[in-house]
């Protein structure tokens, strides 16, 4: 098992100003790779809150922690300050990070931009940390090792977070995971209540212990109860992943049809492996 956690930093997430779409995106992305985003912690822009959040992730022996937010030039962006304190290592101007920032401005014909303290802050990393290229925005991401956990600090801006994750983080997680395949099918079902579906799901889970089977009630329309049912399986074998899901779907279909309900649509993915 590879344990991946997210530590989202930002008051805006806690006061309801910003929806944590980064968490949803990361969870989905990791799910497709065959692993779970095991835990999402959200903390305030506050040194002791960031420390407590990170301590929790390290205490749970996460293999990877994706820290998102608080990397920018503003005073409330204090992720790296907190991490350097926790590592017991100083914050220093990192030459590689500085040249990434200069490159960023040069590519935008802004070579004359002055390296103000706010800009230098984005290149000031804990000693021992490595900057990670940000092709979209200015502040580089940061990679470091803490107590056996690989920590990536990414900017909060969703387009930057996604870009750095896809370029520099995902492949490292995928390598640690090894080759896995995930098959997924989602069914739209009409004419059965969740309470009647529940024992069918339970019996399928007993027959296929590794499967993920989850119902989502979608209300009642024209007198018919509607449910979406997701079925997924992750396996080292492409065939096993596909066979299990197809079999679960076949069995569920036959059970619900026997009580007069129907599958009205079916959508899914081919077994996806490491991309
Ligand atoms: P910047 O370089 O822009 O300052 P940063 O790493 O400091 O980046 P934040 O200041 O924490 O990031 O957030 C930048 C923007 O991204 C804000 O508008 C914030 O609301 C948004 N944001 C932060 N975290 C998330 C998140 N988890 N999901 C969606 N949006 C987020
Ligand atoms: Mg912030």
């Amino acid at each position: 098992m590879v344990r991946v956690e997210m530590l989202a930093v930002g008051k805006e997430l806690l006061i309801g100003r910003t929806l944590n779409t980064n968490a949803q995106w990361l969870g989905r992305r990791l799910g497709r790779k065959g692993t779970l985003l095991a835990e999402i912690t959200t903390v305030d822009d506050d040194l002791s809150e960031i420390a407590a959040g990170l301590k929790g992730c390290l205490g749970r022996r996460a293999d990877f922690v994706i820290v998102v937010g608080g990397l920018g030039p503003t005073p409330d962006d204090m992720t790296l300050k907190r991490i350097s304190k926790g590592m017991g290592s100083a914050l220093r101007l990192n030459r590689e990070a500085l040249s990434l920032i200069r490159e960023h401005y040069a590519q935008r014909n802004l070579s004359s931009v002055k390296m103000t303290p706010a800009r230098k802050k984005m290149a000031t990393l804990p000693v021992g940390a490595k900057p990670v290229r940000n092709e979209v925005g200015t502040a580089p991401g940061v990679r470091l090792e803490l107590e056996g956990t690989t920590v990536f600090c990414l900017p909060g801006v969703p387009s930057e977070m996604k870009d750095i994750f896809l370029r520099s983080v995902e492949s490292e997680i995928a390598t640690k995971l090894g080759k896995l395949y995930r098959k997924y099918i989602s069914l739209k079902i009409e004419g059965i209540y969740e309470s009647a579906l529940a024992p069918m799901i339970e019996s399928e889970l007993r027959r296929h212990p590794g499967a993920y089977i989850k119902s989502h009630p979608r209300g009642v329309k024209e007198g018919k109860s509607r449910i979406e049912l997701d079925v997924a399986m992750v396996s080292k074998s492409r065939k096993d992943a596909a066979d299990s899901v197809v079999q679960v779907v076949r069995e569920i279909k036959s059970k619900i049809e026997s009580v007069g309900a129907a599958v009205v649509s079916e959508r899914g993915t081919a077994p996806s492996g490491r991309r």
Side-chain angles (χ1 to χ4, degrees), residues 5-9 39 41-43 50 53-54 57 65-69:
E5 292 200 26
M6 174 187 197
L7 176 62
V9 181
E39 191 147 342
T41 309
T42 306
V43 297
I50 298 171
L54 193 60
C57 301
V65 179
I66 317 294
V67 183
V68 178

Side-chain angles (χ1 to χ4, degrees), residues 186-216:
S186 181
L187 304 175
K188 283 194 175 150
I189 299 173
E190 277 185 12
I192 187 167
Y193 284 97
E194 252 196 328
S195 47
L197 189 60
M200 301 176 184
I201 295 177
E202 227 174 278
S203 108
E204 286 306 312
L205 284 172
R206 268 197 303 273
R207 288 168 62 90
H208 305 272
Y212 168 83
I213 310 174
K214 170 78 183 149
S215 59
H216 304 277

Side-chain angles (χ1 to χ4, degrees), residues 58-111:
L58 300 179
R60 289 184 290 274
R61 302 247 167 267
D63 297 284
F64 294 94
V65 179
I66 317 294
V67 183
V68 178
L71 281 192
T74 55
D76 67 334
D77 293 324
M78 50 183 81
T79 297
L80 295 178
K81 187 167 172 187
R82 178 57 245 181
I83 286 178
S84 76
K85 211 166 164 192
M87 285 170 81
S89 70
L91 273 175
R92 290 244 175 82
L93 193 64
N94 180 295
R95 280 162 168 256
E96 201 181 332
L98 196 61
S99 74
L100 286 174
I101 292 173
R102 288 215 165 95
E103 211 178 289
H104 171 87
Y105 287 124
Q107 278 165 1
R108 285 154 184 81
N109 291 324
L110 296 167
S111 302

Side-chain angles (χ1 to χ4, degrees), residues 140-159:
V142 176
R143 183 194 182 285
L144 49 101
E145 304 273 347
L146 271 182
E147 300 174 21
T149 296
T150 301
V151 179
F152 282 98
C153 304
L154 307 182
V157 181
S159 57

Side-chain angles (χ1 to χ4, degrees), residues 33 35 55 145 191 193 266:
K33 290 282 157 197
T35 192
K55 197 170 162 205
E145 304 273 347
Y193 284 97
E266 179 176 329

Side-chain angles (χ1 to χ4, degrees), residues 11-258:
K11 190 186 276 316
E12 68 273 23
L13 301 167
L14 294 168
I15 62 170
R17 167 74 172 81
T18 302
L19 186 64
N20 193 348
T21 56
N22 287 337
Q24 185 187 34
W25 185 88
L26 265 180
R28 204 174 264 173
R29 199 72 217 170
L30 291 167
R32 284 192 201 144
K33 290 282 157 197
T35 192
L36 188 69
L37 178 54
E39 191 147 342
I40 302 166
T41 309
T42 306
V43 297
D44 196 2
D45 299 290
D46 174 274
L47 287 175
S48 62
E49 296 290 333
I50 298 171
L54 193 60
K55 197 170 162 205
C57 301
L58 300 179
R60 289 184 290 274
R61 302 247 167 267
D63 297 284
F64 294 94
V65 179
I66 317 294
V67 183
V68 178
L71 281 192
T74 55
D76 67 334
D77 293 324
M78 50 183 81
T79 297
L80 295 178
K81 187 167 172 187
R82 178 57 245 181
I83 286 178
S84 76
K85 211 166 164 192
M87 285 170 81
S89 70
L91 273 175
R92 290 244 175 82
L93 193 64
N94 180 295
R95 280 162 168 256
E96 201 181 332
L98 196 61
S99 74
L100 286 174
I101 292 173
R102 288 215 165 95
E103 211 178 289
H104 171 87
Y105 287 124
Q107 278 165 1
R108 285 154 184 81
N109 291 324
L110 296 167
S111 302
S112 57
V113 162
K114 289 257 176 340
M115 274 298 150
T116 57
R119 294 196 175 106
K120 279 192 180 155
K121 176 172 175 249
M122 295 187 280
T124 304
L125 314 189
V127 173
K130 295 236 357 129
V132 184
R133 183 179 286 275
N134 179 352
E135 297 273 356
V136 178
T138 316
V142 176
R143 183 194 182 285
L144 49 101
E145 304 273 347
L146 271 182
E147 300 174 21
T149 296
T150 301
V151 179
F152 282 98
C153 304
L154 307 182
V157 181
S159 57
E160 298 182 31
M161 189 279 301
K162 291 177 195 172
D163 182 77
I164 303 178
F165 183 85
L166 293 176
R167 277 175 205 284
S168 308
V169 181
E170 193 173 64
S171 60
E172 192 174 329
I173 297 175
T175 302
K176 180 110 183 174
L177 277 172
K179 204 165 183 128
L180 288 176
Y181 295 93
R182 176 181 184 260
K183 170 76 179 170
Y184 161 80
I185 291 181
S186 181
L187 304 175
K188 283 194 175 150
I189 299 173
E190 277 185 12
I192 187 167
Y193 284 97
E194 252 196 328
S195 47
L197 189 60
M200 301 176 184
I201 295 177
E202 227 174 278
S203 108
E204 286 306 312
L205 284 172
R206 268 197 303 273
R207 288 168 62 90
H208 305 272
Y212 168 83
I213 310 174
K214 170 78 183 149
S215 59
H216 304 277
R218 295 291 186 238
V220 177
K221 199 178 171 195
E222 289 158 9
K224 282 186 178 166
S225 160
R226 301 189 308 170
I227 294 174
E228 280 178 36
L229 187 75
D230 294 346
V231 182
M233 181 80 182
V234 174
S235 169
K236 285 183 177 161
S237 148
R238 179 193 286 260
K239 186 171 178 311
D240 287 355
D243 287 355
S244 301
V245 170
V246 168
Q247 203 183 333
V248 169
V249 167
R250 195 182 324 121
E251 288 162 3
I252 292 252
K253 255 187 187 167
S254 116
K255 282 180 184 154
I256 64 165
E257 280 166 7
S258 75

